Amino acid sequence: MAISNSLMKFEAVWIQFVELVWAAIHTVSTCAHNHSTINATKGCVGCSSAAESISHDTMTKRTSITSFIAVLKLRCVNTSRQIMTCLFRALHIILKLLKLNDSELKDDFICLSIHHIQKLHWDPGYQLNAGKVVSIVTDDRHSLSEDSAQFGIVSGSLLQLLCSLVEQSDTEDTDRRDIFVKLADVIPRLGTFLQEQQDTPKSLSQYSKHKILMLMIRLKPHIQQNCSHIICLLKLLRRHFQSTLHEPMFQHSTKLENCLEGSPFLLSGVGLGELQDKSTWHLQRQAMYLFLSCSIVLACSGNDSRLKCSCKRDQCCHKGQGCTDNCNYFGLSEISVWFQRCCLDKILDSKSSTDIVLCFLQLYMEEDDMLFIILLQLLDAPLISLAIDKMESKWTSELIGAKLFSIVFDPVHIFHQWLSLLHYDHLVLVDYLISKDVGVHCAQYLLRCLRLVSGCWDAFVDDSVYEAQIQKFNCKRQRTLKNINSFTGSSMEGTKLGSSHDKENKSKEQLFLSAKVCLLSLKQTLEDLHKKDLFPYNPKPLLKRFEELCAQY
């Protein structure tokens, strides 16, 4: 009983300490905010509202706390940025220790932090103004670039804490969903971190974008039951990541045999420009995955009765009738516009749809975790075509890009091309399956793909089925756009005669045989490892899928 009482007292004192840290953050935050609007002398007196109310709610019984807040108000004028950065980092370290020790106090910390983050000042340009205060009060020689750098450090520290609050592993934890849904209100405010960053060093700007995208990706599973939250994510992407989303994919060409993952020689062999390109490509992977996953959720919203929508009719600016139709059209139109800007001109220039798929996959091949979550997402691509078919015909002409996206990113064709990028090496698939980081996602992807291949065997064996769908839709699109005179039958490569046609058929047959050998070898290896009890988990579901597939051979 005594031990239990001691633990309760310790927990109460610990919570008071965390409350004190947040009270200090609110005090410094309010001081900086007031100083950005009035002069420095009056600002010190006027920073009492938010911080005092918070400290009063938690610990006003202790006069020492009140005295501490009063002293902090006087000192924060000259050190507001440094204090906020240090306090955010302190909270981040506390959270890391709680997770490391699997402490029961972790949930209390997360709830408390989310509660206080919702109360922070998020005025446009406020964070940067907090930096400018220092240059006004202390030293006029501080340059704008220095203030911008400090702004990036403060915002980066907060974003780091936010991402730690919503860990990747938490995406499957439905018990905490209600807690993380509260952070949905923070999403529109994230734009303040991306505003006025023209003078911020590129490395800090890239880091902030990376953390914001990571936070939105982790939040999405918790907030995607409400269409208005998904629309908010898409609008933030459109406003602040448009150039990243529309970066051409055809510039990426990953050479797997030249990759030295984790090797110290990798950095010494590339220049600064190439390193910057790698960070840009990473942002593109994050942005494109978030964009496609959100758009597909909205595009298929009519098929999910669990989805709720609290958005206003004019929030989406759609042309549908009901709220569900509005969100449905919004998601489809977003995909259509994006695909037309990024890829549709490549098909018009006689670039094959297979090149688009290969370049898209090559973009993700350097990051295994991102690779499999985008592969799993693209399995839903056919649902886009079905959603368009259910719409009124007068809107379908505006969604040509989305329709073609659904056909180009056919899951069976993607699976075939992914195996080709792996050089049909079944041992690479084994490495993926036993990986602690991506093993589960790889198994999920293989299970679904093997089921698809069993049901679409003809498309897997003969790639001309896929090409016929592309050609048929391209001809239809040309008629819709009244561009028939600009394209001839030969430009679409619809008919090939003579020996070139025979050679291409032989090449396609060889690709199928390579894929067949790869999958059969994987099946045999899994069976051998399972018999020797060397496989880290039960592969029977996979082996069952392989048996269904072998019946097709």
Side-chain angles (χ1 to χ4, degrees), residues 310-360:
S310 59
C311 57
K312 299 178 181 178
R313 180 64 57 85
D314 59 350
Q315 182 179 357
C316 307
C317 301
H318 317 152
K319 299 181 180 180
Q321 298 298 321
C323 185
T324 300
D325 293 332
N326 281 340
C327 295
N328 186 252
Y329 182 86
F330 185 81
L332 291 171
S333 63
E334 288 289 301
I335 295 176
S336 188
V337 171
W338 169 77
F339 193 62
Q340 288 188 64
R341 289 193 60 175
C342 288
C343 304
L344 200 55
D345 61 321
K346 302 301 178 182
I347 297 176
L348 295 179
D349 292 335
S350 299
K351 281 281 189 179
S352 71
S353 55
T354 299
D355 288 338
I356 294 178
V357 172
L358 286 173
C359 288
F360 187 90

Side-chain angles (χ1 to χ4, degrees), residues 69-240:
I69 296 296
V71 172
L72 186 60
K73 291 176 187 177
L74 296 174
R75 298 294 180 89
C76 71
V77 177
N78 297 330
T79 58
S80 60
R81 296 175 297 182
Q82 292 89 336
I83 292 176
M84 290 185 70
T85 300
C86 291
L87 291 176
F88 285 138
R89 287 176 177 173
L91 290 171
H92 181 248
I93 292 173
I94 291 173
L95 180 57
K96 286 180 63 177
L97 293 174
L98 291 176
K99 291 178 179 179
L100 183 63
N101 298 322
D102 197 20
S103 173
E104 295 179 356
L105 297 175
K106 180 178 66 175
D107 289 341
D108 294 332
F109 180 93
I110 292 175
C111 292
L112 202 60
S113 296
I114 291 176
H115 169 74
H116 283 288
I117 286 172
Q118 289 179 296
K119 293 186 176 183
L120 283 176
H121 285 291
W122 296 79
D123 298 339
Y126 153 68
Q127 292 290 347
L128 186 56
N129 287 335
K132 290 180 179 178
V133 171
V134 180
S135 63
I136 294 174
V137 176
T138 59
D139 192 347
D140 292 334
R141 291 173 297 176
H142 280 268
S143 66
L144 180 60
S145 60
E146 291 173 336
D147 288 333
S148 299
Q150 289 295 329
F151 150 71
I153 294 173
V154 174
S155 61
S157 300
L158 176 56
L159 287 171
Q160 189 179 45
L161 175 61
L162 279 166
C163 289
S164 295
L165 290 172
V166 192
E167 274 195 328
Q168 190 70 38
S169 58
D170 292 332
T171 56
E172 302 296 331
D173 190 353
T174 55
D175 295 335
R176 296 182 184 175
R177 180 169 295 170
D178 293 338
I179 300 174
F180 295 128
V181 165
K182 296 179 181 179
L183 282 178
D185 296 333
V186 173
I187 294 173
R189 304 171 187 175
L190 293 176
T192 60
F193 288 147
L194 298 171
Q195 292 174 354
E196 309 213 17
Q197 287 200 15
Q198 296 179 355
D199 298 303
T200 303
K202 185 176 181 180
S203 58
L204 286 176
S205 175
Q206 297 278 70
Y207 178 80
S208 295
K209 290 180 178 180
H210 158 70
K211 284 296 184 181
I212 288 175
L213 288 170
M214 178 186 293
L215 176 62
M216 292 192 293
I217 289 173
R218 292 181 178 182
L219 276 178
K220 178 186 164 288
H222 304 289
I223 65 177
Q224 65 182 4
Q225 301 302 322
N226 194 315
C227 293
S228 59
H229 296 328
I230 300 299
I231 290 173
C232 184
L233 289 176
L234 286 172
K235 288 187 173 182
L236 189 66
L237 285 171
R238 183 198 296 169
R239 183 174 181 180
H240 297 288

Side-chain angles (χ1 to χ4, degrees), residues 263-489:
S263 170
F265 296 101
L266 180 62
L267 295 181
S268 62
V270 299
L272 178 61
E274 187 172 346
L275 289 177
Q276 292 175 345
D277 287 340
K278 286 181 178 293
S279 64
T280 302
W281 296 342
H282 173 72
L283 290 178
Q284 189 178 10
R285 294 181 196 111
Q286 288 181 303
M288 287 176 63
Y289 164 72
L290 183 62
F291 169 79
L292 287 175
S293 60
C294 289
S295 298
I296 291 175
V297 166
L298 287 182
C300 305
S301 58
N303 301 325
D304 194 344
S305 59
R306 298 173 300 172
L307 286 176
K308 301 177 182 179
C309 189
S310 59
C311 57
K312 299 178 181 178
R313 180 64 57 85
D314 59 350
Q315 182 179 357
C316 307
C317 301
H318 317 152
K319 299 181 180 180
Q321 298 298 321
C323 185
T324 300
D325 293 332
N326 281 340
C327 295
N328 186 252
Y329 182 86
F330 185 81
L332 291 171
S333 63
E334 288 289 301
I335 295 176
S336 188
V337 171
W338 169 77
F339 193 62
Q340 288 188 64
R341 289 193 60 175
C342 288
C343 304
L344 200 55
D345 61 321
K346 302 301 178 182
I347 297 176
L348 295 179
D349 292 335
S350 299
K351 281 281 189 179
S352 71
S353 55
T354 299
D355 288 338
I356 294 178
V357 172
L358 286 173
C359 288
F360 187 90
L361 292 176
Q362 285 174 334
L363 173 62
Y364 283 90
M365 290 300 286
E366 291 184 3
E367 294 189 61
D368 295 342
D369 54 343
M370 293 295 296
L371 170 66
F372 285 103
I373 61 174
I374 194 66
L375 285 174
L376 286 167
Q377 187 64 68
L378 289 175
L379 290 172
D380 295 329
L383 298 177
I384 296 174
S385 182
L386 295 176
I388 295 175
D389 292 340
K390 293 179 181 179
M391 299 190 71
E392 297 181 31
S393 58
K394 60 181 178 180
W395 306 130
T396 56
S397 62
E398 301 179 9
L399 302 173
I400 291 177
K403 184 77 171 181
L404 190 55
F405 169 85
S406 181
I407 297 174
V408 169
F409 285 89
D410 175 75
V412 175
H413 185 69
I414 290 177
F415 183 54
H416 227 314
Q417 300 309 315
W418 178 57
L419 292 178
S420 71
L421 284 177
L422 300 180
H423 305 292
Y424 301 103
D425 188 349
H426 72 284
L427 293 179
V428 176
L429 294 174
V430 174
D431 289 339
Y432 280 142
L433 286 170
I434 64 177
S435 169
K436 293 182 180 180
D437 298 324
V438 300
V440 174
H441 287 155
C442 179
Q444 291 174 343
Y445 181 66
L446 282 177
L447 281 169
R448 294 182 64 180
C449 281
L450 293 176
R451 183 176 181 180
L452 279 172
V453 169
S454 297
C456 307
W457 182 249
D458 291 341
F460 186 71
V461 174
D462 188 359
D463 200 49
S464 63
V465 175
Y466 172 77
E467 292 181 351
Q469 291 179 333
I470 298 294
Q471 181 183 346
K472 179 180 178 181
F473 186 79
N474 270 336
C475 293
K476 181 179 178 181
R477 179 180 57 78
Q478 290 174 47
R479 291 194 298 269
T480 303
L481 298 177
K482 298 180 181 180
N483 285 333
I484 300 177
N485 294 331
S486 300
F487 298 92
T488 63

